[in-house]
Amino acid sequence: MILKMLSFSLKILAERNRTGIINRHWKKEVKKLKIMFVCTGNNCRSPMAEGLLKKKLEEKQIKNIKVYSCGVFAETGDYASYEAIEALKRYQIDISRHRATNIKDAFIEEMDLILCATSSHNCLAKRKHWKPLRSLKKEKYIR
């Protein structure tokens, strides 16, 4: 699931690169791209996807993309799960400082790309938890 979310985000970034949105002169020409991963509790899947994408962007020296995560039923302030922290240690990624954020507290309207772990998260994000998400412009990706 996490690898699917990560590969999808990289696919979208590659698509934007081909269309000229991301380029070598991006620092001066384009604002920072903001990506949000959404799952249930924001203590396993979305923090792992956030950590993996941040590492991939760091490896490729891309600094104009900010990555965030939140959960539709998250308790704001909760820690990442022990299992998630341990799983990412194998890849030299530390998410031990991660704190969960509920979707209501996530400033999701500022995101350029929103990636939901499942279709039910997508529905909850659009219908139940965050009213302005329904009115986002069509150019914003919500998957």
Side-chain angles (χ1 to χ4, degrees):
M1 175 62 67
I2 290 156
L3 292 177
K4 185 177 179 182
M5 289 172 69
L6 180 63
S7 67
F8 183 76
S9 65
L10 292 173
K11 179 180 173 185
I12 294 293
L13 292 174
E15 177 184 311
R16 286 186 168 202
N17 190 26
R18 279 194 301 278
T19 59
I21 294 173
I22 300 171
N23 59 45
R24 288 188 173 95
H25 307 289
W26 199 23
K27 289 180 183 176
K28 295 180 181 177
E29 296 177 13
V30 181
K31 67 174 186 146
K32 289 186 178 183
L33 180 69
K34 296 178 182 176
I35 299 173
M36 174 74 75
F37 289 103
V38 180
C39 72
T40 305
N42 193 221
N43 59 7
C44 290
R45 289 175 288 185
S46 57
M48 291 175 72
E50 177 186 354
L52 287 164
L53 183 55
K54 282 181 177 178
K55 180 171 183 179
K56 185 60 89 175
L57 293 170
E58 185 180 308
E59 288 172 358
K60 295 189 176 280
Q61 298 178 352
I62 298 172
K63 297 177 182 175
N64 289 44
I65 298 176
K66 293 288 187 182
V67 185
Y68 306 91
S69 64
C70 68
V72 292
F73 294 119
E75 287 291 326
T76 298
D78 277 357
Y79 296 92
S81 72
Y82 172 78
E83 293 83 1
I85 293 168
E86 289 300 309
L88 289 187
K89 278 185 182 176
R90 288 185 239 155
Y91 302 97
Q92 293 78 44
I93 301 171
D94 181 17
I95 60 167
S96 63
R97 294 178 183 226
H98 171 80
R99 298 298 174 265
T101 303
N102 188 287
I103 196 167
K104 293 176 185 177
D105 304 323
F107 302 106
I108 202 162
E109 70 276 4
E110 296 176 11
M111 299 300 132
D112 298 300
L113 176 61
I114 302 163
L115 298 167
C116 298
T118 67
S119 59
S120 62
H121 294 122
N122 190 334
C123 290
L124 285 167
K126 286 181 180 176
R127 295 184 187 152
K128 189 175 180 183
H129 285 283
W130 196 74
K131 291 180 185 177
L133 192 57
R134 285 184 247 154
S135 64
L136 283 177
K137 295 176 183 174
K138 289 182 180 179
E139 63 266 12
K140 297 223 179 197
Y141 289 90
I142 305 170
R143 309 276 178 170

